[in-house]
Amino acid sequence: PFSPAHPDPVPDTASALLNFDGISYAKGASALRQLVAWMGEKDFLAGINDHFARHRFGNAALADFLDSLGRATDRDVHAWAARWLRTTGVDTLTPETATGSDTWHLDVHHSGSRPHRIAVGAYDQDLTDPGRLVPRDRFELDIPAEEGRTRRAFPKPAPDLLVLNDGDLTYAKVRFDPASWKTVARSLSGLPDPLTRAVVWNAARDLVRDGALAPTAYLDAARTHLPHETDLAILQGVLSFARTQIADQYLPAAARHTALATLTALSRDILRRTEGPAHGTEAGLRLTAVRAFIDSATTPEGIQDWLDDGSVPGGPHLDPELRWRILGRLATLGATTPQAIDAELARDPGATGREGAARCHAALPDPAAKQAAWDALFTTDETGGKPALSNYLFIATATGFWAPEQHELLRPYVARYFTAAPALAAARGPA
């Protein structure tokens, strides 16, 4: 969010590499989705068809594309592009509700500089099943570019949950009013549309990142609702954030063990739910839970049995990726040996095996292993000054080297990293 989606011209390929990333692709795609919503799909399609016809067999610049869209609508597309493609950051939309005598009001507070057309979803709890949410209404709302408040009034009663940007039509952070967040915490998995659930999960993630929601509250929501989640992308995204961001970075060290125990219990619930012949999405949910259980294990019990048996009870059988994943976790926990790692490499001697072995050796909580990994990462050959490891082996070694479980063992390397990293970057390149 801290770069424009369409940067100024770049002078060389190194600068281009630094510009084209998630800003260009993910933020750019989201901006295009908002452009379709802001113009209306009919006008947008008319504009791009005109553009393709005018510039067939030729090249066109961004200005030409905007001209084509501008001819199809009475909206100022060039002004939209200036605010959306040439500016940095992300806007924030915050709802506030108030109840009158016979109406309730929705105020959407806009912090930012871009115009938005969003959909707002209103949901009520099912009277017969409080864990299920029923759609009441979905309406579109135009948010002006200027910071301020947009108000709409509706007949009473107010819904149990309001979801700004329902359908993910724009690129913005969205917040919840207090009553809606209580509904989210209680009934998030009861939302019928997976895209709405994804919008809510992403909003909760942003709240944690901005310090507006306790990391433990996010974990509580994951523990409550992920065992019922049927969408693979949501399960993968929420588990990944909970494991790598919440447990490893946002929680104090003293709370990390409890967080990992929560994630293993959550993963075990998903495994129980997906027992039996699993195909398609069910198999994907199960595999995701297996990976999360391995990565969150705080003791070797369980995952060592899987490795010894060559399979997870009820499936899947362990392929090389899962075997190395288990061995890597055992190495981090200090529950395996260099000899066991070398034996696994003999079993899988290809490129995947070499990367797995490098990661496992670097993960061992042994001062000599850490020093050997450091030397492999930061030492260049003496003839041409080139790195000693391939890029793949470098990533594998670095991934194994840094482990939250080993803070005290790694503490002496922190200052050394900042001293040695610039020379390494010069030898390896920005990637």
Side-chain angles (χ1 to χ4, degrees):
F2 302 109
S3 298
H6 186 276
D8 292 326
V10 293
D12 50 44
T13 54
S15 300
L17 179 63
L18 296 177
N19 272 286
F20 287 94
D21 52 15
I23 299 297
S24 301
Y25 293 103
K27 185 177 180 180
S30 187
L32 279 173
R33 181 70 185 91
Q34 169 60 190
L35 179 57
V36 175
W38 184 77
M39 286 183 60
E41 186 172 347
K42 181 179 178 181
D43 287 351
F44 180 81
L45 290 175
I48 61 172
N49 283 329
D50 175 54
H51 183 70
F52 293 148
R54 286 174 179 271
H55 299 283
R56 62 184 180 273
F57 310 121
N59 295 322
L62 175 63
D64 299 316
F65 179 62
L66 298 176
D67 286 341
S68 298
L69 295 179
R71 283 189 289 270
T73 180
D74 57 359
R75 293 200 165 202
D76 190 344
V77 179
H78 285 274
W80 182 94
R83 289 184 179 272
W84 269 90
L85 305 183
R86 298 291 189 183
T87 58
T88 62
V90 56
D91 292 5
T92 301
L93 306 176
T94 304
E96 181 182 359
T97 60
T99 303
S101 56
D102 56 356
T103 61
W104 68 274
H105 298 87
L106 167 64
D107 290 336
V108 178
H109 298 272
H110 175 211
S111 173
S113 61
R114 301 185 181 109
H116 299 268
R117 173 173 282 181
I118 64 170
V120 180
Y123 298 86
D124 296 313
Q125 289 191 299
D126 191 322
L127 295 178
T128 60
D129 180 4
R132 181 170 173 265
L133 292 167
V134 180
R136 177 200 294 188
D137 190 16
R138 191 166 184 257
F139 55 90
E140 291 196 345
L141 200 61
D142 273 312
I143 309 294
E146 297 74 22
E147 291 195 354
R149 181 183 71 177
T150 302
R151 167 167 283 198
R152 288 278 295 272
F154 304 90
K156 289 177 66 176
D160 294 314
L161 170 63
L162 282 171
V163 179
L164 302 186
N165 196 28
D166 201 357
D168 197 29
L169 299 182
T170 194
Y171 180 84
K173 292 180 183 179
V174 298
R175 304 307 200 203
F176 301 99
D177 62 277
S180 289
W181 176 252
K182 289 180 180 178
T183 302
V184 165
R186 183 171 55 243
S187 307
L188 193 162
S189 54
L191 283 164
D193 185 354
L195 183 53
T196 302
R197 297 197 300 274
V199 168
V200 172
W201 278 116
N202 284 342
R205 177 201 61 193
D206 288 335
L207 286 167
V208 174
R209 284 177 167 166
D210 291 343
L213 179 69
T216 50
Y218 187 97
L219 270 182
D220 289 342
R223 181 71 184 93
T224 300
H225 298 292
L226 283 191
H228 310 289
E229 183 53 61
T230 58
D231 187 272
L232 181 57
I234 293 176
L235 182 67
Q236 289 174 334
V238 175
L239 274 177
S240 176
F241 184 75
R243 175 62 184 83
T244 62
Q245 305 292 316
I246 299 289
D248 285 358
Q249 298 179 31
Y250 293 156
L251 287 176
R256 187 169 181 273
H257 190 279
T258 300
L260 294 181
T262 297
L263 292 173
T264 55
L266 189 164
S267 302
R268 193 179 290 111
D269 283 352
I270 297 170
L271 290 175
R272 291 194 186 105
R273 194 190 85 202
T274 56
E275 284 180 349
H279 305 283
T281 300
E282 286 283 309
L285 295 171
R286 187 169 181 81
L287 178 59
T288 299
V290 166
R291 288 170 172 160
F293 187 93
I294 294 168
D295 294 345
S296 304
T298 56
T299 66
E301 283 75 29
I303 59 173
Q304 180 67 64
D305 294 337
W306 292 356
L307 187 63
D308 294 341
D309 295 341
S311 68
V312 178
H317 292 291
L318 301 186
D319 61 5
E321 186 270 334
L322 286 176
R323 292 187 64 85
W324 283 115
R325 199 180 199 106
I326 292 174
L327 200 58
R329 189 62 186 160
L330 292 173
T332 299
L333 296 174
T336 193
T337 64
Q339 293 76 20
I341 297 169
D342 292 338
E344 189 67 26
L345 178 59
R347 176 191 178 111
D348 179 27
T352 300
R354 291 195 295 276
E355 291 173 38
R359 185 168 55 252
C360 291
H361 278 297
L364 290 169
D366 174 68
K370 293 300 181 185
Q371 186 61 54
W374 179 271
D375 292 341
L377 290 170
F378 286 91
T379 300
T380 57
D381 67 44
E382 296 181 359
T383 55
K386 295 181 179 179
L389 295 177
S390 71
N391 285 342
Y392 289 112
L393 289 178
F394 178 90
I395 292 169
T397 302
T399 302
F401 182 87
W402 300 107
E405 287 83 359
Q406 301 165 358
H407 277 172
E408 292 306 314
L409 183 61
L410 294 168
R411 193 177 302 279
Y413 291 95
V414 175
R416 294 174 64 185
Y417 171 83
F418 289 102
T419 301
L424 184 69
R428 284 196 171 271

